[in-house]
């Protein structure tokens, strides 16, 4: 069997914007580890890779994702520059929306959460499945074996990591449309500051516990970032009929900048990425080295069943 190629789950075209020209166009990377953060300089093509990352066996064309990315990645750099210079450029806005849709759902950090989410949901559903088996299976031996198996805590249901990615891929164009039609805030960094990114670049920003849906935050360059409140409605299937939402620009407040810098580091799976060596980033990466994106799952009784509430939040790992 042919060996799968190495794919970048964070595109090189995105990473290139964070290269340090004074360091031979290398990235400054801070590897999060349980004990100590490791600082080094890396080439963009050497980071954020996984073998066969663009493949999915649940589709007849297992590399169909590459068709989506091939329309976006080569145009990313130009699209970001155009968006910064002409905020109303709809074509640039759609390119940015498409790659944000990809990076906010496909990276390993988010995939782990989706797998955990589905496994938690299966675990929560098992008592209900056992209840249905009691009333719907006539054969007493078959019924007993199934009910005992469903209620046995030693039997653990696992989810194929490719399956949640298949669901994500099926809905990626729709998510891109929701982002495109959302309200945008294009922010430049406070004076003397610079935006950092990570191997999980597009994260959800929740201002407080009541902000359930949150906003999508993505650093575009060391000087610019975008915050998007996606359109909650299902966008039109016809991409040509999409209507861009409002867009505002301005300098990010120091308070918001510091909060989002911490969020970026907390949500990073393995590495934090900067365009320059920064002792403050090093210190924060060390402080939050055990933090990862996590699935929070709660269930509430409702009628004959229950309601499930899922949230993705950064938390310190146990």
């Amino acid at each position: 069997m042919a060996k799968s190629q190495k794919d970048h789950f964070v595109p090189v075209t995105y990473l290139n914007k964070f290269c340090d020209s004074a360091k031979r166009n290398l990235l400054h990377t801070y590897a999060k580890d349980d004990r100590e953060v490791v600082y080094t300089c890396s080439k963009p093509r050497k980071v954020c890779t996984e073998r066969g990352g663009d493949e999915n066996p649940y589709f007849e064309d297992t590399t169909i994702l590459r068709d989506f990315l091939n329309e976006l990645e080569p145009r990313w750099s130009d699209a970001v520059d155009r968006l910064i210079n002409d905020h109303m450029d709809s074509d640039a806005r759609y390119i940015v929306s498409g790659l944000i849709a990809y990076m906010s759902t496909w990276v390993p950090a988010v995939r782990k959460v989706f797998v955990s989410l589905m496994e938690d949901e299966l675990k929560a559903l098992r008592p209900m499945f056992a209840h249905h088996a009691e009333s719907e299976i006539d054969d007493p031996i078959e019924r007993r074996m199934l009910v005992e198996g469903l209620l046995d805590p030693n039997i653990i249901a696992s989810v194929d990591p490719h399956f949640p990615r298949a669901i994500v891929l099926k809905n990626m164009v729709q998510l891109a449309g929701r982002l495109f039609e959302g309200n945008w805030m294009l922010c430049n960094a406070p004076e003397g500051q610079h935006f950092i990114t990570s191997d999980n670049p597009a994260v959800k920003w929740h201002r407080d516990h009541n902000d359930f849906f949150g906003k999508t935050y993505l650093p575009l360059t060391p000087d610019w970032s975008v915050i998007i409140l996606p359109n909650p409605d299902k966008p039109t299937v016809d991409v040509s009929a999409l209507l861009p939402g409002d867009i505002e620009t301005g300098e990010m407040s120091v308070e918001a900048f510091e909060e989002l810098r911490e969020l970026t580091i907390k949500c990073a799976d393995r590495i934090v990425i900067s365009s320059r060596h920064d002792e403050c980033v090093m210190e924060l990466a060390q402080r939050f080295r055990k933090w990862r994106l996590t699935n929070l799952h709660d269930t509430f009784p409702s009628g004959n069943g229950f309601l499930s509430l899922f949230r993705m939040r950064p938390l310190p790992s146990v």
Side-chain angles (χ1 to χ4, degrees), residues 3-8 46 49-54 66:
K3 205 173 187 179
S4 297
Q5 72 177 43
K6 275 191 176 182
D7 295 312
H8 282 84
K46 292 289 187 179
T49 65
E50 60 178 347
R51 196 166 291 282
D54 291 350
R66 290 175 189 159

Side-chain angles (χ1 to χ4, degrees), residues 286-312:
Q286 182 69 21
R287 187 191 310 172
F288 299 119
R289 67 189 184 279
K290 294 186 177 182
W291 286 64
R292 299 293 188 276
L293 198 61
T294 306
N295 163 45
L296 297 180
H297 175 220
D298 294 301
T299 58
F300 306 93
S302 177
N304 295 326
F306 61 89
L307 294 175
S308 289
L309 177 64
F310 299 100
R311 291 150 293 157
M312 285 194 294

